[in-house]
Amino acid sequence: MIPTKIKILGHEYHIIFDNDYIEKSGGNTGQCNNYRNEIHICSKLPESSQHEILIHEIIEALDYRLELNLEHHKICALGESLNQVMLDNSMH
């Protein structure tokens, strides 16, 4: 189960599930808004995809707040990899 809020580096982020997010966002399945401390996730997707998107968006928030300047393909690779580690170890 995905929580409705999480803390990232001391900042509380609200997780918003939206059934029509892909259509509203022009094809995105998720997004991190660091100005509003929100993570949007398309709720139409399978739960496994929602978990991966959450991890991806957490990495996006870390990248922003820590000024890491990660390339997007590296954020994608980290998101998929961390999601698999969590699955393999029954962490979600």
Side-chain angles (χ1 to χ4, degrees):
M1 175 128 201
I2 295 176
T4 57
K5 54 186 168 178
I6 59 170
K7 284 193 175 183
I8 302 173
L9 299 176
H11 301 275
E12 186 171 271
Y13 280 72
H14 294 273
I15 300 171
I16 300 165
F17 295 93
D18 186 340
N19 206 31
D20 300 318
Y21 189 74
I22 293 174
E23 292 82 8
K24 291 177 186 176
S25 68
N28 292 329
T29 54
Q31 179 186 15
C32 179
N33 183 322
N34 289 296
Y35 300 104
R36 298 181 58 140
N37 289 2
E38 295 176 345
I39 293 176
H40 295 261
I41 298 174
C42 179
S43 57
K44 282 185 184 176
L45 300 171
E47 189 174 343
S48 61
S49 295
Q50 291 179 32
H51 281 281
E52 188 279 323
I53 291 164
L54 176 61
I55 293 168
H56 176 103
E57 299 308 334
I58 290 169
I59 296 168
E60 291 276 11
L62 292 169
D63 182 52
Y64 171 80
R65 295 203 173 271
L66 298 174
E67 298 180 13
L68 298 173
N69 298 313
L70 294 172
E71 297 171 10
H72 193 256
H73 73 274
K74 291 182 180 180
I75 292 172
C76 292
L78 286 169
E80 285 288 352
S81 301
L82 289 171
N83 186 56
Q84 190 61 51
V85 167
M86 294 181 78
L87 281 172
D88 289 347
N89 292 284
S90 301
M91 297 173 71
H92 66 68

PDB file of all heavy atoms in Angstrom, residues 3-28:
ATOM      1  N   PRO A   3       1.534   5.096   0.827  1.00  0.00           N
ATOM      2  CA  PRO A   3       1.001   6.079   1.780  1.00  0.00           C
ATOM      3  C   PRO A   3       0.483   7.323   1.060  1.00  0.00           C
ATOM      4  O   PRO A   3       0.787   7.547  -0.112  1.00  0.00           O
ATOM      5  CB  PRO A   3       2.216   6.419   2.650  1.00  0.00           C
ATOM      6  CG  PRO A   3       3.384   6.149   1.771  1.00  0.00           C
ATOM      7  CD  PRO A   3       2.986   4.988   0.895  1.00  0.00           C
ATOM      8  N   THR A   4      -0.266   8.147   1.770  1.00  0.00           N
ATOM      9  CA  THR A   4      -0.769   9.389   1.175  1.00  0.00           C
ATOM     10  C   THR A   4       0.160  10.565   1.438  1.00  0.00           C
ATOM     11  O   THR A   4      -0.028  11.636   0.874  1.00  0.00           O
ATOM     12  CB  THR A   4      -2.174   9.722   1.703  1.00  0.00           C
ATOM     13  OG1 THR A   4      -2.121   9.801   3.136  1.00  0.00           O
ATOM     14  CG2 THR A   4      -3.173   8.659   1.262  1.00  0.00           C
ATOM     15  N   LYS A   5       1.163  10.352   2.300  1.00  0.00           N
ATOM     16  CA  LYS A   5       2.193  11.378   2.504  1.00  0.00           C
ATOM     17  C   LYS A   5       3.464  10.710   3.003  1.00  0.00           C
ATOM     18  O   LYS A   5       3.425   9.679   3.679  1.00  0.00           O
ATOM     19  CB  LYS A   5       1.741  12.498   3.423  1.00  0.00           C
ATOM     20  CG  LYS A   5       1.216  12.108   4.759  1.00  0.00           C
ATOM     21  CD  LYS A   5       0.669  13.339   5.479  1.00  0.00           C
ATOM     22  CE  LYS A   5      -0.117  12.882   6.696  1.00  0.00           C
ATOM     23  NZ  LYS A   5      -0.640  13.987   7.456  1.00  0.00           N
ATOM     24  N   ILE A   6       4.581  11.313   2.635  1.00  0.00           N
ATOM     25  CA  ILE A   6       5.893  10.830   3.056  1.00  0.00           C
ATOM     26  C   ILE A   6       6.781  12.033   3.336  1.00  0.00           C
ATOM     27  O   ILE A   6       6.497  13.142   2.874  1.00  0.00           O
ATOM     28  CB  ILE A   6       6.566   9.934   1.982  1.00  0.00           C
ATOM     29  CG1 ILE A   6       6.744  10.695   0.678  1.00  0.00           C
ATOM     30  CG2 ILE A   6       5.788   8.658   1.766  1.00  0.00           C
ATOM     31  CD1 ILE A   6       7.595   9.977  -0.339  1.00  0.00           C
ATOM     32  N   LYS A   7       7.839  11.814   4.103  1.00  0.00           N
ATOM     33  CA  LYS A   7       8.818  12.866   4.347  1.00  0.00           C
ATOM     34  C   LYS A   7      10.059  12.591   3.501  1.00  0.00           C
ATOM     35  O   LYS A   7      10.541  11.461   3.454  1.00  0.00           O
ATOM     36  CB  LYS A   7       9.198  12.944   5.820  1.00  0.00           C
ATOM     37  CG  LYS A   7       8.148  13.606   6.658  1.00  0.00           C
ATOM     38  CD  LYS A   7       8.688  13.951   8.013  1.00  0.00           C
ATOM     39  CE  LYS A   7       7.627  14.732   8.776  1.00  0.00           C
ATOM     40  NZ  LYS A   7       8.119  15.162  10.073  1.00  0.00           N
ATOM     41  N   ILE A   8      10.528  13.642   2.853  1.00  0.00           N
ATOM     42  CA  ILE A   8      11.749  13.580   2.065  1.00  0.00           C
ATOM     43  C   ILE A   8      12.652  14.705   2.558  1.00  0.00           C
ATOM     44  O   ILE A   8      12.311  15.879   2.403  1.00  0.00           O
ATOM     45  CB  ILE A   8      11.469  13.730   0.557  1.00  0.00           C
ATOM     46  CG1 ILE A   8      10.512  12.639   0.071  1.00  0.00           C
ATOM     47  CG2 ILE A   8      12.773  13.717  -0.236  1.00  0.00           C
ATOM     48  CD1 ILE A   8      10.041  12.803  -1.358  1.00  0.00           C
ATOM     49  N   LEU A   9      13.748  14.336   3.189  1.00  0.00           N
ATOM     50  CA  LEU A   9      14.702  15.307   3.740  1.00  0.00           C
ATOM     51  C   LEU A   9      14.007  16.328   4.637  1.00  0.00           C
ATOM     52  O   LEU A   9      14.293  17.522   4.601  1.00  0.00           O
ATOM     53  CB  LEU A   9      15.461  16.009   2.614  1.00  0.00           C
ATOM     54  CG  LEU A   9      16.304  15.102   1.719  1.00  0.00           C
ATOM     55  CD1 LEU A   9      16.928  15.912   0.587  1.00  0.00           C
ATOM     56  CD2 LEU A   9      17.386  14.387   2.514  1.00  0.00           C
ATOM     57  N   GLY A  10      13.071  15.848   5.440  1.00  0.00           N
ATOM     58  CA  GLY A  10      12.388  16.710   6.400  1.00  0.00           C
ATOM     59  C   GLY A  10      11.195  17.468   5.844  1.00  0.00           C
ATOM     60  O   GLY A  10      10.526  18.188   6.578  1.00  0.00           O
ATOM     61  N   HIS A  11      10.911  17.305   4.559  1.00  0.00           N
ATOM     62  CA  HIS A  11       9.782  17.983   3.919  1.00  0.00           C
ATOM     63  C   HIS A  11       8.657  16.979   3.698  1.00  0.00           C
ATOM     64  O   HIS A  11       8.886  15.912   3.134  1.00  0.00           O
ATOM     65  CB  HIS A  11      10.199  18.593   2.575  1.00  0.00           C
ATOM     66  CG  HIS A  11      11.304  19.579   2.691  1.00  0.00           C
ATOM     67  ND1 HIS A  11      11.091  20.896   3.002  1.00  0.00           N
ATOM     68  CD2 HIS A  11      12.644  19.426   2.538  1.00  0.00           C
ATOM     69  CE1 HIS A  11      12.250  21.526   3.039  1.00  0.00           C
ATOM     70  NE2 HIS A  11      13.207  20.650   2.766  1.00  0.00           N
ATOM     71  N   GLU A  12       7.459  17.328   4.127  1.00  0.00           N
ATOM     72  CA  GLU A  12       6.322  16.438   3.941  1.00  0.00           C
ATOM     73  C   GLU A  12       5.742  16.611   2.535  1.00  0.00           C
ATOM     74  O   GLU A  12       5.395  17.724   2.136  1.00  0.00           O
ATOM     75  CB  GLU A  12       5.237  16.731   4.978  1.00  0.00           C
ATOM     76  CG  GLU A  12       4.099  15.734   4.931  1.00  0.00           C
ATOM     77  CD  GLU A  12       3.160  15.915   6.091  1.00  0.00           C
ATOM     78  OE1 GLU A  12       3.393  15.304   7.143  1.00  0.00           O
ATOM     79  OE2 GLU A  12       2.193  16.687   5.925  1.00  0.00           O
ATOM     80  N   TYR A  13       5.695  15.516   1.807  1.00  0.00           N
ATOM     81  CA  TYR A  13       5.125  15.495   0.458  1.00  0.00           C
ATOM     82  C   TYR A  13       3.802  14.750   0.501  1.00  0.00           C
ATOM     83  O   TYR A  13       3.709  13.681   1.103  1.00  0.00           O
ATOM     84  CB  TYR A  13       6.058  14.771  -0.521  1.00  0.00           C
ATOM     85  CG  TYR A  13       7.204  15.592  -1.026  1.00  0.00           C
ATOM     86  CD1 TYR A  13       8.274  15.921  -0.201  1.00  0.00           C
ATOM     87  CD2 TYR A  13       7.233  16.034  -2.345  1.00  0.00           C
ATOM     88  CE1 TYR A  13       9.336  16.669  -0.665  1.00  0.00           C
ATOM     89  CE2 TYR A  13       8.302  16.781  -2.825  1.00  0.00           C
ATOM     90  CZ  TYR A  13       9.347  17.090  -1.982  1.00  0.00           C
ATOM     91  OH  TYR A  13      10.401  17.832  -2.450  1.00  0.00           O
ATOM     92  N   HIS A  14       2.799  15.301  -0.134  1.00  0.00           N
ATOM     93  CA  HIS A  14       1.505  14.643  -0.257  1.00  0.00           C
ATOM     94  C   HIS A  14       1.497  13.850  -1.556  1.00  0.00           C
ATOM     95  O   HIS A  14       1.914  14.347  -2.597  1.00  0.00           O
ATOM     96  CB  HIS A  14       0.368  15.664  -0.249  1.00  0.00           C
ATOM     97  CG  HIS A  14       0.260  16.359   1.072  1.00  0.00           C
ATOM     98  ND1 HIS A  14      -0.476  15.844   2.109  1.00  0.00           N
ATOM     99  CD2 HIS A  14       0.828  17.489   1.529  1.00  0.00           C
ATOM    100  CE1 HIS A  14      -0.359  16.644   3.160  1.00  0.00           C
ATOM    101  NE2 HIS A  14       0.433  17.644   2.834  1.00  0.00           N
ATOM    102  N   ILE A  15       1.020  12.623  -1.477  1.00  0.00           N
ATOM    103  CA  ILE A  15       0.935  11.770  -2.651  1.00  0.00           C
ATOM    104  C   ILE A  15      -0.507  11.807  -3.142  1.00  0.00           C
ATOM    105  O   ILE A  15      -1.438  11.488  -2.398  1.00  0.00           O
ATOM    106  CB  ILE A  15       1.394  10.339  -2.333  1.00  0.00           C
ATOM    107  CG1 ILE A  15       2.853  10.398  -1.856  1.00  0.00           C
ATOM    108  CG2 ILE A  15       1.242   9.445  -3.558  1.00  0.00           C
ATOM    109  CD1 ILE A  15       3.394   9.127  -1.308  1.00  0.00           C
ATOM    110  N   ILE A  16      -0.659  12.246  -4.373  1.00  0.00           N
ATOM    111  CA  ILE A  16      -1.983  12.447  -4.948  1.00  0.00           C
ATOM    112  C   ILE A  16      -2.196  11.438  -6.074  1.00  0.00           C
ATOM    113  O   ILE A  16      -1.421  11.404  -7.033  1.00  0.00           O
ATOM    114  CB  ILE A  16      -2.127  13.890  -5.472  1.00  0.00           C
ATOM    115  CG1 ILE A  16      -1.925  14.862  -4.305  1.00  0.00           C
ATOM    116  CG2 ILE A  16      -3.470  14.092  -6.157  1.00  0.00           C
ATOM    117  CD1 ILE A  16      -1.688  16.284  -4.707  1.00  0.00           C
ATOM    118  N   PHE A  17      -3.222  10.621  -5.936  1.00  0.00           N
ATOM    119  CA  PHE A  17      -3.572   9.644  -6.959  1.00  0.00           C
ATOM    120  C   PHE A  17      -4.667  10.241  -7.828  1.00  0.00           C
ATOM    121  O   PHE A  17      -5.666  10.728  -7.318  1.00  0.00           O
ATOM    122  CB  PHE A  17      -4.053   8.345  -6.317  1.00  0.00           C
ATOM    123  CG  PHE A  17      -2.981   7.663  -5.533  1.00  0.00           C
ATOM    124  CD1 PHE A  17      -2.846   7.894  -4.162  1.00  0.00           C
ATOM    125  CD2 PHE A  17      -2.087   6.817  -6.154  1.00  0.00           C
ATOM    126  CE1 PHE A  17      -1.852   7.267  -3.440  1.00  0.00           C
ATOM    127  CE2 PHE A  17      -1.074   6.197  -5.437  1.00  0.00           C
ATOM    128  CZ  PHE A  17      -0.961   6.428  -4.074  1.00  0.00           C
ATOM    129  N   ASP A  18      -4.447  10.212  -9.127  1.00  0.00           N
ATOM    130  CA  ASP A  18      -5.383  10.829 -10.069  1.00  0.00           C
ATOM    131  C   ASP A  18      -5.634   9.858 -11.206  1.00  0.00           C
ATOM    132  O   ASP A  18      -4.708   9.469 -11.922  1.00  0.00           O
ATOM    133  CB  ASP A  18      -4.797  12.137 -10.587  1.00  0.00           C
ATOM    134  CG  ASP A  18      -5.747  12.925 -11.454  1.00  0.00           C
ATOM    135  OD1 ASP A  18      -6.722  12.346 -11.980  1.00  0.00           O
ATOM    136  OD2 ASP A  18      -5.521  14.126 -11.633  1.00  0.00           O
ATOM    137  N   ASN A  19      -6.882   9.469 -11.381  1.00  0.00           N
ATOM    138  CA  ASN A  19      -7.265   8.517 -12.411  1.00  0.00           C
ATOM    139  C   ASN A  19      -6.993   9.044 -13.819  1.00  0.00           C
ATOM    140  O   ASN A  19      -6.704   8.279 -14.734  1.00  0.00           O
ATOM    141  CB  ASN A  19      -8.750   8.171 -12.245  1.00  0.00           C
ATOM    142  CG  ASN A  19      -9.093   6.814 -12.781  1.00  0.00           C
ATOM    143  OD1 ASN A  19      -8.269   5.913 -12.764  1.00  0.00           O
ATOM    144  ND2 ASN A  19     -10.307   6.666 -13.249  1.00  0.00           N
ATOM    145  N   ASP A  20      -7.071  10.342 -14.014  1.00  0.00           N
ATOM    146  CA  ASP A  20      -6.913  10.951 -15.337  1.00  0.00           C
ATOM    147  C   ASP A  20      -5.575  11.672 -15.498  1.00  0.00           C
ATOM    148  O   ASP A  20      -5.433  12.524 -16.366  1.00  0.00           O
ATOM    149  CB  ASP A  20      -8.051  11.942 -15.590  1.00  0.00           C
ATOM    150  CG  ASP A  20      -9.417  11.271 -15.546  1.00  0.00           C
ATOM    151  OD1 ASP A  20      -9.532  10.160 -16.095  1.00  0.00           O
ATOM    152  OD2 ASP A  20     -10.342  11.850 -14.961  1.00  0.00           O
ATOM    153  N   TYR A  21      -4.601  11.325 -14.671  1.00  0.00           N
ATOM    154  CA  TYR A  21      -3.343  12.079 -14.687  1.00  0.00           C
ATOM    155  C   TYR A  21      -2.613  11.998 -16.024  1.00  0.00           C
ATOM    156  O   TYR A  21      -2.070  12.988 -16.497  1.00  0.00           O
ATOM    157  CB  TYR A  21      -2.405  11.644 -13.551  1.00  0.00           C
ATOM    158  CG  TYR A  21      -1.231  12.571 -13.453  1.00  0.00           C
ATOM    159  CD1 TYR A  21      -1.393  13.843 -12.933  1.00  0.00           C
ATOM    160  CD2 TYR A  21       0.010  12.218 -13.953  1.00  0.00           C
ATOM    161  CE1 TYR A  21      -0.343  14.729 -12.891  1.00  0.00           C
ATOM    162  CE2 TYR A  21       1.067  13.098 -13.916  1.00  0.00           C
ATOM    163  CZ  TYR A  21       0.890  14.356 -13.384  1.00  0.00           C
ATOM    164  OH  TYR A  21       1.926  15.239 -13.361  1.00  0.00           O
ATOM    165  N   ILE A  22      -2.599  10.833 -16.662  1.00  0.00           N
ATOM    166  CA  ILE A  22      -1.889  10.693 -17.937  1.00  0.00           C
ATOM    167  C   ILE A  22      -2.465  11.666 -18.960  1.00  0.00           C
ATOM    168  O   ILE A  22      -1.717  12.358 -19.657  1.00  0.00           O
ATOM    169  CB  ILE A  22      -1.951   9.236 -18.454  1.00  0.00           C
ATOM    170  CG1 ILE A  22      -1.150   8.324 -17.523  1.00  0.00           C
ATOM    171  CG2 ILE A  22      -1.395   9.143 -19.876  1.00  0.00           C
ATOM    172  CD1 ILE A  22      -1.255   6.848 -17.859  1.00  0.00           C
ATOM    173  N   GLU A  23      -3.777  11.740 -19.040  1.00  0.00           N
ATOM    174  CA  GLU A  23      -4.418  12.639 -19.996  1.00  0.00           C
ATOM    175  C   GLU A  23      -4.158  14.105 -19.648  1.00  0.00           C
ATOM    176  O   GLU A  23      -3.861  14.923 -20.517  1.00  0.00           O
ATOM    177  CB  GLU A  23      -5.930  12.380 -20.046  1.00  0.00           C
ATOM    178  CG  GLU A  23      -6.301  11.031 -20.635  1.00  0.00           C
ATOM    179  CD  GLU A  23      -6.210   9.875 -19.639  1.00  0.00           C
ATOM    180  OE1 GLU A  23      -6.003  10.096 -18.424  1.00  0.00           O
ATOM    181  OE2 GLU A  23      -6.336   8.720 -20.091  1.00  0.00           O
ATOM    182  N   LYS A  24      -4.249  14.438 -18.373  1.00  0.00           N
ATOM    183  CA  LYS A  24      -4.053  15.827 -17.931  1.00  0.00           C
ATOM    184  C   LYS A  24      -2.618  16.300 -18.113  1.00  0.00           C
ATOM    185  O   LYS A  24      -2.377  17.481 -18.329  1.00  0.00           O
ATOM    186  CB  LYS A  24      -4.428  15.974 -16.448  1.00  0.00           C
ATOM    187  CG  LYS A  24      -5.892  15.835 -16.150  1.00  0.00           C
ATOM    188  CD  LYS A  24      -6.103  15.938 -14.644  1.00  0.00           C
ATOM    189  CE  LYS A  24      -7.518  15.663 -14.235  1.00  0.00           C
ATOM    190  NZ  LYS A  24      -7.665  15.669 -12.777  1.00  0.00           N
ATOM    191  N   SER A  25      -1.657  15.377 -17.996  1.00  0.00           N
ATOM    192  CA  SER A  25      -0.249  15.770 -17.991  1.00  0.00           C
ATOM    193  C   SER A  25       0.423  15.617 -19.351  1.00  0.00           C
ATOM    194  O   SER A  25       1.623  15.839 -19.466  1.00  0.00           O
ATOM    195  CB  SER A  25       0.511  14.930 -16.966  1.00  0.00           C
ATOM    196  OG  SER A  25       0.559  13.577 -17.411  1.00  0.00           O
ATOM    197  N   GLY A  26      -0.325  15.213 -20.348  1.00  0.00           N
ATOM    198  CA  GLY A  26       0.272  15.047 -21.662  1.00  0.00           C
ATOM    199  C   GLY A  26       1.060  13.764 -21.813  1.00  0.00           C
ATOM    200  O   GLY A  26       2.000  13.689 -22.592  1.00  0.00           O
ATOM    201  N   GLY A  27       0.726  12.739 -21.043  1.00  0.00           N
ATOM    202  CA  GLY A  27       1.360  11.439 -21.189  1.00  0.00           C
ATOM    203  C   GLY A  27       2.235  11.004 -20.033  1.00  0.00           C
ATOM    204  O   GLY A  27       2.735   9.886 -20.021  1.00  0.00           O
ATOM    205  N   ASN A  28       2.440  11.854 -19.044  1.00  0.00           N
ATOM    206  CA  ASN A  28       3.250  11.470 -17.880  1.00  0.00           C
ATOM    207  C   ASN A  28       2.450  10.560 -16.955  1.00  0.00           C
ATOM    208  O   ASN A  28       1.248  10.725 -16.782  1.00  0.00           O
ATOM    209  CB  ASN A  28       3.692  12.704 -17.081  1.00  0.00           C
ATOM    210  CG  ASN A  28       4.686  13.546 -17.842  1.00  0.00           C
ATOM    211  OD1 ASN A  28       5.469  13.043 -18.629  1.00  0.00           O
ATOM    212  ND2 ASN A  28       4.645  14.846 -17.606  1.00  0.00           N
TER     213      ASN A  28
END
